[in-house]
Amino acid sequence: MSTLESSSWQITYPPSLDFGQQLTPEQLQRSMQDTMSQHEGGPVWLFAYGSLIWRPECNSVERQRARVHGYHRGLYLWSHEHRGTPECPGLVFGLDRGGSCSGFAFRLDEHNLHDSLMALWQREMPYPAYRPHWLSCRLDDGSKVQALGFVLERHLPCYAGNLPDTLLSQILASAKGRYGSTREYVEQTLNALRSHQMPDRNLEARFRRCHNLREA
């Protein structure tokens, strides 16, 4: 266990994590139904800002580059299974309040919408770490749509927040879970954003700083 200090906080790694109980199929179904009851009608769009960009879960009939305002992408959610372990937790992306975020909007196929949404809920909501939310999303063609996004729940223990570079560099160097390492996950997302001419410059700069810390 290591402890890192800044001028205003102290962080112990690995953290003491409690993700709570996994949601049951009935709870997943209820969460999905509650979310869809707030949809304003028309096509159902999904906003993808992380691994959904390069590994989408749903069948879609249209994809456009898009941006949401009021939220930004950050490595703010602990991962104790997919990109890390309880002994060496990793991090995954989430939408947190403030700023803006580029990504993709997928218009979901209406013919198998329920199955697509359930697959999405099973992937994103095994634990209630996110809050499904309808986002105001501007598409690349200039139009605005209501798009489903998964927003971080700040009050839960699985919320890591904006960690210092010294700790993030340690996590990028060591955390690995069922689906690979945190570093690979970040690199795949950065590569996907670059390949579509919408790089996340803040994330790029932070990734370089953390790499340089490990090399120093």
Side-chain angles (χ1 to χ4, degrees), residues 5 38 50 57 61 70 73 131-132 138 154 160-161 164 194 203:
E5 295 187 12
Q38 301 168 35
E57 195 69 50
V61 293
R73 171 179 36 239
R131 172 172 54 88
R138 183 176 291 277
R154 282 188 163 207
R194 289 188 206 114
L203 184 61

Side-chain angles (χ1 to χ4, degrees), residues 7-165:
S7 59
S8 60
W9 61 354
Q10 185 179 72
I11 301 167
T12 299
Y13 183 81
S16 178
L17 293 178
D18 180 8
F19 280 73
Q21 293 294 317
Q22 283 190 282
L23 297 183
T24 65
E26 294 75 20
Q27 288 172 319
L28 286 172
Q29 179 75 23
R30 187 159 56 249
S31 171
M32 187 180 75
Q33 290 174 342
D34 289 346
T35 301
M36 293 306 298
S37 71
Q38 301 168 35
H39 185 238
E40 295 175 353
V44 176
W45 292 82
L46 169 69
F47 181 67
Y49 56 87
S51 61
L52 284 171
I53 296 175
W54 42 270
R55 190 168 63 88
E57 195 69 50
C58 304
N59 293 324
S60 64
V61 293
E62 183 180 357
R63 184 182 76 167
Q64 286 199 46
R65 294 192 303 181
R67 180 173 291 274
V68 298
H69 290 274
Y71 294 93
H72 67 281
R73 171 179 36 239
L75 283 168
Y76 299 155
L77 182 65
W78 290 116
S79 175
H80 69 320
E81 183 178 353
H82 293 168
R83 298 291 171 173
T85 64
E87 297 75 25
C88 187
L91 293 164
V92 291
F93 290 115
L95 285 180
D96 206 359
R97 57 179 181 249
S100 66
C101 181
S102 61
F104 274 99
F106 295 91
R107 181 163 61 89
L108 303 186
D109 189 346
E110 296 180 7
H111 296 293
N112 58 357
L113 182 60
H114 181 275
D115 290 346
S116 290
L117 288 172
M118 181 51 66
L120 181 65
W121 249 258
Q122 289 171 340
R123 170 172 164 170
E124 300 294 316
M125 296 285 292
Y127 298 92
Y130 294 111
R131 172 172 54 88
H133 186 62
W134 293 104
L135 303 165
S136 177
C137 181
R138 183 176 291 277
L139 304 181
D140 206 32
D141 65 8
S143 61
K144 284 186 177 182
V145 299
Q146 185 189 37
L148 175 65
F150 291 89
V151 176
L152 288 168
E153 292 278 37
R154 282 188 163 207
H155 65 281
L156 296 178
C158 52
Y159 175 76
N162 191 14
L163 299 174
D165 287 351

Side-chain angles (χ1 to χ4, degrees), residues 56 72 179 190:
H72 67 281
Y179 296 131
L190 288 174

